[in-house]
Amino acid sequence: MQLSRRKFFTLAGASAAGTLMMSPLEALYARKANGESVFGGGYGPLVPDPNGLLDLPRGFQYRAFSRTGEMMSDGSPVPGGHDGMAAFPGPQNTVILVRNHELSPNSTTQVVGPNPYDPLCKGGTTTLQVGPNRQLLNHYASLSGTYRNCAGGPTPWGSWITCEENVSTPATNKPGNATNVSKSHGYNFEVPALATVPVNPVPLVAMGRFNHEAVAIDPKTGIVYETEDRGDGLLYRFIPSQRNNLSAGGTLQALKIKNMPQAKTFAGFPKRQPMPVEWVTIDNPDPATDTVRVEGFGKGAAQFTRGEGIWYGNREVYFCCSNGGSVDANGRPNGFGQVWRYLPDQDMIELFVEAKSAEELDGPDNIVVAPHGDLIICEDGNDEQFVVGVTPNGELYRLAKNAINDREFAGACFSPDGRTMFVNIQTPGITFAIWGPWKSQRGA
């Protein structure tokens, strides 16, 4: 099970308990370890789509909308790079989707808004309102002028934290370079789900300036856990000064394994062995250069290679390291991925699972818990792309196929009533609503 792609645990809109999240994954690994088949019947074979967009099992339907280039309700074209996304309850039984656009300054499309954070940057978010009949009611830019909005995470108070996966600054500009910027990047931004006009793009500076990937919030304490997509990245937590108000500032800290200062967790860690941790405070969360992780490591924080998606549930925090697990002859990480579990109440961390080979799945990316308990995984591999399900007993099945091209799926999430799954094909940029007999799965 290859975890070498980014954001395996970008859990857009996931809300089930941690045990529901991890039991299918544990069962999948157990089946492989015991030599059992990991393939199941799922909902049956995929039926070729006569429209050439999305192949689904018999009995399932889809509606495609908000395609790149279409005119949005605010008069601007739909940007490309559809990526991370979350679903929220809207007024009058509607669903609100807040959708990332992973765009760079040299991208051919952009999020057009009246108040961009950086006029040279083209990323941001759009917001979609979908009616009870799964018809798109309106869609519009909700944040603009940011750099590579890839992942993020929903908040308990009804907003989306969108993360910049880039740390460019004006000091890194080069004459005539198409990726030059006018402001510093590498921040989180908050977008309220019910905002009907573009938000004022305020960087959440105290949460750190680094190569952000995803966030997860503990609703009991308000603490935000953050991953860093670097080979020598750290795991952070942000303790806000005010609950439910991230813009009020707070304290940024990095995880340190007790009695193991500057631990490099890439390889050689035993699975299921809880280790006590402590947290070191980052004195300069907004440095001029990309040195937040350097400061943390200098204070003894542990390195996690390519921190990707992160998810909170049932008083547990899970996060993925996309190429941890082993190193090559030169000491560089080249594994198939790790999933770590942190227990806030005990201040303990453990290596939960570690992949051993690249089989069955082709670059698992976004993942979400379906209402019936399956994991739904978006692939980001090299050839045909599928949405794949994992049942609670560890069997894999294919739920959907990209019938357009070989570009990735992203942003899978379910409507609040659990009846509709929303997902994106990143390029050419299409959002889908999918529905069908979710509770009548065969072969589970």
Side-chain angles (χ1 to χ4, degrees):
M1 183 174 184
Q2 185 181 16
L3 306 182
S4 59
R5 310 287 176 181
R6 58 185 174 80
K7 23 182 202 33
F8 173 50
F9 261 72
T10 302
L11 306 174
S15 59
T19 51
L20 290 181
M21 167 57 66
M22 298 311 299
S23 59
L25 189 60
E26 281 192 281
L28 173 64
Y29 276 79
R31 294 180 75 91
K32 291 178 64 178
N34 294 331
E36 302 175 57
S37 172
V38 298
F39 297 102
Y43 292 97
L46 301 182
V47 178
D49 178 13
N51 296 315
L53 294 179
L54 197 66
D55 297 347
L56 297 170
R58 192 173 306 278
F60 281 83
Q61 304 176 63
Y62 74 82
R63 182 165 288 127
F65 46 75
S66 197
R67 308 186 192 201
T68 298
E70 293 180 350
M71 197 61 64
M72 294 195 295
S73 309
D74 60 8
S76 63
V78 176
H82 296 29
D83 211 284
M85 185 167 66
F88 302 87
Q92 298 179 331
N93 203 28
T94 61
V95 176
I96 303 297
L97 300 173
V98 184
R99 181 180 63 194
N100 276 358
H101 294 272
E102 189 182 6
L103 300 172
S104 301
N106 60 348
S107 296
T108 57
T109 67
Q110 70 179 95
V111 181
V112 178
N115 53 346
Y117 169 69
D118 182 344
L120 297 182
C121 289
K122 298 181 178 180
T125 65
T126 51
T127 297
L128 295 72
Q129 185 179 29
V130 181
N133 59 356
R134 304 178 181 91
Q135 294 281 0
L136 179 65
L137 301 179
N138 55 67
H139 47 156
Y140 49 89
S142 48
L143 176 80
S144 64
T146 48
Y147 201 139
R148 289 192 63 193
N149 299 70
C150 179
T155 71
W157 53 89
S159 63
W160 170 252
I161 304 300
T162 182
C163 300
E164 289 188 305
E165 195 181 15
N166 186 275
V167 290
S168 294
T169 70
T172 63
N173 288 347
K174 297 179 181 179
N177 196 316
T179 59
N180 286 346
V181 298
S182 66
K183 290 185 178 180
S184 294
H185 294 270
Y187 298 113
N188 294 334
F189 295 80
E190 185 169 10
V191 181
L194 297 182
T196 57
V197 296
V199 301
N200 181 31
V202 178
L204 300 171
V205 173
M207 296 185 73
R209 194 182 78 81
F210 53 86
N211 217 52
H212 283 278
E213 181 62 38
V215 303
I217 300 176
D218 181 345
K220 178 180 177 181
T221 64
I223 292 175
V224 184
Y225 295 92
E226 310 180 71
T227 55
E228 181 175 28
D229 192 357
R230 291 285 195 193
D232 58 351
L234 312 181
L235 177 70
Y236 302 93
R237 73 176 183 183
F238 176 69
I239 305 174
S241 298
Q242 300 177 16
R243 289 285 298 269
N244 303 353
N245 184 8
L246 302 178
S247 62
T251 302
L252 183 68
Q253 298 180 321
L255 183 143
K256 174 185 176 182
I257 300 176
K258 284 186 177 180
N259 305 317
M260 200 180 297
Q262 297 186 327
K264 296 183 178 181
T265 68
F266 311 149
F269 272 74
K271 293 191 295 293
R272 298 303 182 89
Q273 181 175 311
M275 297 170 285
V277 308
E278 56 190 353
W279 295 84
V280 298
T281 297
I282 303 297
D283 295 321
N284 187 6
D286 186 25
T289 56
D290 183 22
T291 57
V292 171
R293 69 192 187 284
V294 176
E295 179 189 341
F297 187 67
K299 294 179 176 179
Q303 289 182 348
F304 297 93
T305 180
R306 296 288 311 280
E308 302 284 5
I310 187 167
W311 184 84
Y312 170 90
N314 196 32
R315 302 299 301 151
E316 300 172 325
V317 177
Y318 293 94
F319 65 99
C320 177
C321 295
S322 63
N323 61 350
S326 64
V327 295
D328 62 20
N330 297 313
R332 294 171 300 199
N334 67 347
F336 297 104
Q338 303 165 322
V339 178
W340 293 78
R341 175 167 65 174
Y342 168 66
L343 305 174
D345 293 340
Q346 290 81 36
D347 246 355
M348 305 284 284
I349 194 169
E350 64 178 333
L351 177 57
F352 193 71
V353 292
E354 187 170 79
K356 299 298 183 183
S357 63
E359 298 175 346
E360 285 89 38
L361 295 176
D362 187 11
D365 198 325
N366 290 183
I367 184 169
V368 67
V369 181
H372 53 278
D374 289 4
L375 298 189
I376 305 298
I377 300 171
C378 297
E379 288 191 340
D380 179 14
N382 298 316
D383 299 308
E384 294 179 323
Q385 301 298 302
F386 295 90
V387 176
V388 178
V390 186
T391 69
N393 65 358
E395 290 184 338
L396 292 165
Y397 63 92
R398 288 173 171 173
L399 177 61
K401 176 187 175 183
N402 177 352
I404 308 170
N405 54 32
D406 60 357
R407 305 304 291 270
E408 69 181 272
F409 285 101
C413 55
F414 278 83
S415 60
D417 65 8
R419 298 173 58 194
T420 306
M421 185 181 82
F422 299 95
V423 70
N424 300 316
I425 289 179
Q426 188 177 78
T427 304
I430 305 174
T431 295
F432 295 90
I434 301 171
W435 66 98
W438 297 111
K439 295 183 180 180
S440 61
Q441 182 179 351
R442 298 178 297 277

